[in-house]
Amino acid sequence: MRAPDGCALVLASASPRRADLVRQIGLTPARTDPAEIDESPRRSERPRVYAERMAGQKAQAVAVRHTGCWVLAADTVVACGLRILPKAEAEREARQCLELLSGRRHRVIGGIALVAPDGSIRTRVVETRVEMKRLEQREIAAYLASGQWHGKAGGYAIQGLAAAYITLVNGSYSNVVGLPLAETYGLLTGVGFRHAGD
């Protein structure tokens, strides 16, 4: 895909999996630039509101550094009820997430945002329902030992070993990986992006 009017596209993310997903729909950003903003949820903030706010703030923070460009950002939130689970940075956090999700359904909410060269912003929120089987302690221990939980929302990555624990995905699978592709494609084409051969 190419940017309209010759403007470059910047991906506001340091996530390799998100960059791979963008390339999967035929788009190669001119550059990647992580926003590095405070991602703390506000008090009593709902998961959908938080996901949309984070995507928007990431896009706007990076757009300031790349005037005249299109900036695409995303945020993935794992929610159990109204509880926003952390992006696990410590094994203890990952264990708590896995024990909470074990045998339950939860939601993966993806916020996406696109800032245009004129500073206008468009956002989308996508929700996928996911069910995890009841985990045995040995399975939790094995997953923690893999290290695949590190930095992942909800303490797991569906594209890795955790796929063995997922019994249901209702909605966008790519959203659970890190970027809802159909909705991202719609957002981009809505502002004039086309495949290079179009």
Side-chain angles (χ1 to χ4, degrees), residues 33-68:
D33 185 4
E36 298 179 352
I37 62 171
D38 179 8
E39 298 190 31
S40 304
R42 293 171 178 164
R43 185 173 181 176
S44 302
E45 190 169 30
R46 298 293 181 106
R48 286 180 66 91
V49 173
Y50 172 69
E52 186 171 23
R53 178 174 68 85
M54 280 293 96
Q57 288 186 355
K58 287 178 181 180
Q60 289 172 322
V62 172
V64 170
R65 303 196 288 264
H66 301 280
T67 56

Side-chain angles (χ1 to χ4, degrees), residues 67-85:
T67 56
C69 295
W70 297 83
V71 177
L72 176 68
D75 194 70
T76 303
V77 175
V78 173
C80 194
L82 294 179
R83 181 174 176 180
I84 297 170
L85 301 191

